[in-house]
Amino acid sequence: MIGLSAAFLCGCVGDAFDRPEDVLEGGAALVDGNRLSSNALALNALALNSLALNGIAPNKLDAQSLAAIRDPTNQGELARAFVRYAVGCALTTSQSISFSWTDASNVVHQETYPGELGIAPAWATGPLDLNGQRMVSACVAARVNYYQVPVLLSLRSTEAPLRLLTGARELIEFPDVEGAFWGNLWGASPAIYTCYNSATVANSRAWSRDCATGHLRDDGTIEECGMIDIVGPCSSVCAALNGGGQYYPSCVEKPYVTGSASTKLVITTALP
């Protein structure tokens, strides 16, 4: 039987001291950050389009990507935000990247981005392979928040390193599967897909998590989170939740292509 693993995402470093004891004992890594803007996600297809082709360390980056994260304008802020979240998803807790950039007032800023989940640790020194591209893409997309507010959630997958068995207490704390994320930000045609669990839409919105369900406008229409494409309920594009109701084992890789194969490179999110 395939297991699962979860990572908890929040927005403040000090939040770990305020979390319930049973969450801290959930058996998975605790990582900070779940409020990436959709603008920062979309920027990857522009200024950071070669990022996956080399190591993520500054001495491995191509000139365009390095210039993007050192840009003192708002575009640079978005690029740095994307890289920080991508590094958190890809590298392990023993890895990090550091670089500096200079703002418009000629003040030098030193940045260090630590790894958190270890989905693709080899990216520190070399290119992301296809599986790494898809898993990091799904992980970063899962951390986008329409309101840019921190929300604690559980990330789960059939794929290593998120497939280790977790404690039952964690599953009790995060019982509501929100939806799933998959795709590739670095593909020839960058695309990220998401679907929602029809049974938990109200709970997701109550927790200010609108990117899987869609932001409900005042006129009743739905707004997506930038390039994250909501393809409908997960029941229409993914295999049924596993026996424990914990994660989606696979989803249709290209939802708009008839006969598209399924992919296991999917990250499922769950909320309290």
Side-chain angles (χ1 to χ4, degrees):
M1 175 180 176
I2 297 175
L4 76 137
S5 181
F8 301 104
L9 313 179
C10 74
C12 304
V13 174
D15 284 356
F17 298 100
D18 300 323
R19 295 178 183 127
E21 183 179 354
D22 51 357
V23 172
L24 290 171
E25 295 178 354
L30 295 174
V31 294
D32 295 302
N34 170 37
R35 50 182 173 185
L36 184 67
S37 75
S38 57
N39 289 336
L41 185 69
L43 185 71
N44 176 60
L46 303 175
L48 301 176
N49 58 357
S50 299
L51 193 64
L53 303 180
N54 303 288
I56 191 74
N59 64 341
K60 296 287 186 178
L61 291 180
D62 66 287
Q64 183 184 28
S65 296
L66 190 59
I69 63 174
R70 287 177 168 168
D71 186 344
T73 69
N74 181 62
Q75 291 293 93
E77 183 178 348
L78 293 175
R80 288 186 290 277
F82 175 84
V83 169
R84 178 163 59 87
Y85 279 77
V87 166
C89 288
L91 304 189
T92 68
T93 55
S94 64
Q95 296 174 300
S96 65
I97 70 163
S98 298
F99 65 95
S100 63
W101 60 281
T102 304
D103 66 22
S105 299
N106 209 35
V107 176
V108 176
H109 299 261
Q110 299 290 338
E111 303 279 353
T112 295
Y113 301 154
E116 299 164 320
L117 295 180
I119 288 174
W123 195 20
T125 55
L128 270 177
D129 62 17
L130 184 57
N131 281 14
Q133 291 176 30
R134 291 176 175 173
M135 287 298 289
V136 172
S137 295
C139 176
V140 173
R143 302 174 73 171
V144 173
N145 187 287
Y146 179 89
Y147 301 98
Q148 296 183 54
V149 297
V151 180
L152 197 66
L153 72 155
S154 171
L155 263 62
R156 307 166 180 178
S157 177
T158 65
E159 298 300 297
L162 303 182
R163 65 185 182 193
L164 299 176
L165 290 174
T166 58
R169 300 177 75 176
E170 174 196 327
L171 300 178
I172 293 172
E173 288 292 330
F174 295 83
D176 285 343
V177 169
E178 171 191 54
F181 295 83
W182 69 100
N184 191 349
L185 290 167
W186 292 285
S189 298
I192 285 290
Y193 305 106
T194 186
C195 62
Y196 56 84
N197 180 358
S198 301
T200 62
V201 169
N203 185 62
S204 296
R205 289 183 175 144
W207 282 101
S208 297
R209 286 280 299 176
D210 281 10
C211 290
T213 62
H215 175 66
L216 187 62
R217 299 189 183 100
D218 291 340
D219 63 2
T221 59
I222 295 296
E223 179 181 355
E224 295 180 323
C225 291
M227 69 180 294
I228 300 178
D229 189 348
I230 302 172
V231 297
C234 294
S235 58
S236 67
V237 290
C238 299
L241 287 169
N242 73 315
Q246 301 156 344
Y247 60 86
Y248 295 102
S250 64
C251 298
V252 177
E253 184 175 346
K254 298 179 179 179
Y256 303 115
V257 177
T258 301
S260 174
S262 294
T263 177
K264 294 181 178 180
L265 304 176
V266 174
I267 288 182
T268 299
T269 52
L271 294 164

